[in-house]
Amino acid sequence: MTGVLDTDWFYWALVIAVGFPACLLALTEIHNALRRRRSHLARPVYLLRTYILPIGVLLLLLVQAMRVSVDATPVRLAATVFGVMLMVLALSGLNATVFQGAPDGSWRRRIPSIFLDVARFALIAVGLAVILAYVWGANVGGLFTALGVSSIVLGLALQNSVGQIISGLLVLFEQPFALGDWIQTPTAQGRVVEVNWRATHIDTGAGMLIIPNAVLANASFTNFSRPPGTHSLAVTTQFAIDDPPDEVIATLDRVASALPQLRQGASPSTVATGALSYMTSIPLRSPADDFAAKTTFLRWIWYASRRAGLHLDEAQDAFETSERVQQALTVVAPTLRLNHSEQEQVMPHVRLTRYGAEEFLQITGQVPTRMTFIVSGRVRLAATADDGSLIPVRTLQPGDFLGQTTLTREPVTAAAYALEEVTVVHLEREYLEDLVARKPVLLHDFGHAIEERRRSLRRALSATDE
């Protein structure tokens, strides 16, 4: 027994027998804790526990406990595997600590992937050279010398191509744009969908434009997405010379303010640019909304200008004819309890007009000054939630009406927008008061409609809260 205690291999064997299970247990607990926290360090700890620790223990067992020569093939193979796993651990640990946990906008996030690939390749090359030199006794000095001379020769031969690649890499490192940004280059405009070490891919809407990064490095381009919250769309319209400029500007601003693509918290503005032209600046969330916002704005302006008595593109509106008004009153007559002679009397007091699809006829909180009767098309009543979203309540059909609180001077509790092109008849408050005075039953009908729609509104809001 005394002879065994005096040997070195006994203590190494004792350390391995006690230390290996203890380290294995500790690393297992650390790995489980990191996994529960979803930490990026879980993978390096897994590599350390599963591969490096057992192989390191095997090396100690062979060299220290069993006294196998370091020049033996089994020891060299184990040392090679151990060195390779150390390189994998170094790469994984570097990636987890430096890059995966980097905050957005930091220089670590901006490093292009090609730089990381080159750094990984260099680390692997150095690691393999160390393994070959110290484990297998190879002479790697001559190999590095040959590689250095070859690199110089290739660099001189390919200096133009390499210069372009370096220019592209510098663009990637600076990152003047990111995925999803909208940029305008000398040749096209679109959204950046892919950026690699060689080229930038831009979705122009009509195809994929691939621009070498070296070209972008030597040219100027515009990034519409930076700084965020600054993009605006400019739309030019023309009106007749007799249209009052202030009224035109107010109409354009009112229509632009109702666009669904409008950036939250921003307001559009319109200026007269001369020669019958007006330019409306519409703040948008993203350049991706340009097309939808412009088409919707121009479509709504067509309807809004005619309702306001303005002349978009100097056009004359001949929609409101006496024949159309008479036909519209036949749809409205049952609601207002009008006979044929009363329809003739009410004609001078009504206005026949139209709204475009998705255009608002009324907004929540508005105090109406007239009643609106639907002649054709459908209108959606919607409640406004706390976050500003619209909750459908019911759909109005021809013969239904809006603005029933005109007589009570109360704000409406629901918004209303057209589901398609809608033709309506407006009846002003003054004549409506006279009509109600002659037909008291109408006041009961309107009061019943107000209460019924309030109940529908409460039901819709309650269903959303559930």
Side-chain angles (χ1 to χ4, degrees):
M1 180 64 67
T2 304
V4 173
L5 294 176
D6 291 337
T7 58
D8 293 336
W9 65 264
F10 174 76
Y11 295 102
W12 280 106
L14 184 62
V15 169
I16 292 173
V18 176
F20 178 60
C23 293
L24 195 62
L25 180 61
L27 290 175
T28 300
E29 293 299 325
I30 295 174
H31 177 254
N32 292 335
L34 292 174
R35 284 186 59 188
R36 287 192 296 269
R37 294 167 51 188
R38 297 183 179 180
S39 173
H40 299 301
L41 295 175
R43 176 171 173 77
V45 174
Y46 173 79
L47 293 174
L48 182 61
R49 181 201 64 178
T50 308
Y51 299 104
I52 296 177
L53 180 63
I55 297 174
V57 169
L58 177 61
L59 274 175
L60 289 177
L61 187 63
L62 290 174
V63 176
Q64 300 296 337
M66 299 180 64
R67 297 299 180 176
V68 178
S69 174
V70 294
D71 295 328
T73 301
V75 175
R76 288 183 172 181
L77 290 175
T80 301
V81 175
F82 184 75
V84 171
M85 294 311 302
L86 282 179
M87 286 191 297
V88 174
L89 177 65
L91 292 173
S92 179
L94 183 65
N95 187 53
T97 56
V98 178
F99 300 106
Q100 288 184 343
D104 294 335
S106 64
W107 65 269
R108 291 178 290 173
R109 286 286 189 184
R110 295 198 304 268
I111 294 181
S113 59
I114 184 62
F115 287 172
L116 301 181
D117 294 337
V118 171
R120 292 189 185 102
F121 177 78
L123 183 59
I124 292 173
V126 172
L128 292 177
V130 171
I131 293 174
L132 290 175
Y134 288 93
V135 176
W136 297 95
N139 182 13
V140 296
L143 178 62
F144 278 107
T145 302
L147 288 176
V149 174
S150 301
S151 299
I152 295 175
V153 173
L154 288 175
L156 293 175
L158 303 175
Q159 56 181 332
N160 292 331
S161 299
V162 173
Q164 293 180 358
I165 294 176
I166 295 300
S167 298
L169 292 178
L170 291 177
V171 170
L172 288 179
F173 188 80
E174 183 184 357
Q175 283 195 343
F177 50 81
L179 294 181
D181 284 358
W182 285 76
I183 66 174
Q184 181 176 11
T185 69
T187 56
Q189 175 180 334
R191 182 171 62 91
V192 178
V193 296
E194 181 181 348
V195 181
N196 55 44
W197 65 272
R198 191 190 69 85
T200 297
H201 297 218
I202 301 175
D203 183 4
T204 63
M208 190 68 66
L209 177 65
I210 300 176
I211 302 180
N213 292 330
V215 174
L216 289 177
N218 295 322
S220 60
F221 54 88
T222 303
N223 189 339
F224 294 110
S225 300
R226 295 188 185 181
T230 59
H231 176 67
S232 294
L233 170 68
V235 182
T236 300
T237 50
Q238 286 189 338
F239 287 81
I241 193 170
D242 293 332
D243 291 336
D246 288 348
E247 188 173 349
V248 172
I249 291 174
T251 301
L252 291 171
D253 286 344
R254 183 173 62 253
V255 172
S257 298
L259 289 173
Q261 298 85 8
L262 188 70
R263 187 169 67 244
Q264 187 176 9
S267 300
S269 61
T270 302
V271 295
T273 57
L276 313 180
S277 297
Y278 297 83
M279 187 180 68
T280 304
S281 179
I282 308 172
L284 300 178
R285 298 185 297 262
S286 165
D289 297 327
D290 281 2
F291 180 77
K294 184 175 182 179
T295 54
T296 302
F297 177 72
L298 293 177
R299 182 166 53 84
W300 286 1
I301 279 296
W302 190 92
Y303 292 98
S305 62
R306 283 156 172 78
R307 291 196 303 271
L310 303 174
H311 305 87
L312 179 65
D313 296 328
E314 302 185 79
Q316 298 291 331
D317 184 24
F319 176 74
E320 190 180 16
T321 62
S322 59
E323 292 80 8
R324 287 197 176 100
V325 173
Q326 288 178 347
Q327 294 175 359
L329 286 176
T330 60
V331 179
V332 175
T335 305
L336 290 176
R337 302 175 182 269
L338 300 176
N339 55 36
H340 181 72
S341 61
E342 290 172 332
Q343 293 179 35
E344 296 292 335
Q345 296 174 4
V346 80
M347 280 187 62
H349 304 282
V350 299
R351 173 81 189 282
L352 182 67
T353 188
R354 291 168 292 182
Y355 288 84
E358 300 179 350
E359 192 175 2
F360 280 85
L361 282 74
Q362 72 179 26
I363 59 176
T364 304
Q366 176 184 0
V367 179
T369 59
R370 60 193 178 186
M371 282 195 69
T372 301
F373 298 87
I374 301 173
V375 177
S376 65
R378 296 174 301 150
V379 174
R380 173 69 51 80
L381 280 181
T384 304
D386 294 336
D387 58 357
S389 60
L390 295 179
I391 306 169
V393 176
R394 59 177 297 185
T395 301
L396 303 181
Q397 305 289 343
D400 289 330
F401 52 85
L402 295 166
Q404 61 275 8
T405 60
T406 300
L407 295 174
T408 60
R409 301 291 181 93
E410 294 178 316
V412 295
T413 56
Y417 59 92
L419 295 177
E420 55 202 10
E421 184 180 82
V422 174
T423 302
V424 300
V425 165
H426 293 308
L427 183 60
E428 297 300 329
R429 183 177 185 276
E430 291 76 10
Y431 185 81
L432 185 62
E433 289 177 341
D434 295 338
L435 189 62
V436 170
R438 297 196 306 268
K439 297 177 181 292
V441 68
L442 288 178
L443 193 60
H444 176 269
D445 293 342
F446 296 153
H448 177 74
I450 292 174
E451 293 301 323
E452 193 276 332
R453 291 185 183 180
R454 284 176 177 173
R455 287 194 297 268
S456 299
L457 183 66
R458 287 193 294 267
R459 286 195 299 269
L461 293 174
S462 299
T464 303
D465 294 336
E466 295 175 359

